[in-house]
Amino acid sequence: MNQITETRDRRGASRFELLEYAIVRSNHVDEARSVVVDVSLGGLQLRSRHSFEAGTEVVVLIGRLGQDPIRIRGEVRYSVPLEGSDLTGTGVKVLPSSTRDRVAWADFVHANFRRTKDLLI
């Protein structure tokens, strides 16, 4: 599942679309199965059947084929129902807990950038 394209949002930050399975955990939800649909250095967007309240702290575990999942802490910025489906779109601001987590997230986003570049060539 590696369909990736670059898009720009209204903030002007490069975001890279992808489809990666993830689990979202919070104090209110033990495990929300989700799909990450885009990432940037500052955050990610996912689709799920669960809605999260803005401001909720979450931990997102993103599966990676053949590698350990990436685990990143974040804060929900929005969670809105997607018209015509039973899914919710949720935006998460990434809040790495340590320098190691920050580097791991940057490496993950950069790897998606490299795959995007390879698809365009």
Side-chain angles (χ1 to χ4, degrees), residues 6 24 36 51-52 74 78 84 92 100 110 113 120:
E6 180 184 4
V24 181
V36 177
S51 180
F52 299 90
Y78 63 86
V92 177
R100 188 171 111 195
H110 187 250
F113 170 77
L120 297 174

Side-chain angles (χ1 to χ4, degrees), residues 43-89:
L44 60 94
Q45 187 178 149
L46 55 89
R47 303 285 188 263
S48 174
R49 287 195 169 89
H50 297 273
S51 180
F52 299 90
E53 186 175 328
T56 300
E57 287 195 19
V58 295
V59 173
V60 182
L61 296 135
I62 303 171
R64 300 183 293 171
L65 293 176
Q67 300 179 48
D68 290 336
I70 186 164
R71 181 184 189 278
I72 194 72
R73 189 174 68 85
E75 179 184 312
V76 173
R77 293 301 191 171
Y78 63 86
S79 198
V80 296
L82 299 174
E83 193 173 318
S85 77
D86 62 348
L87 299 176
T88 299

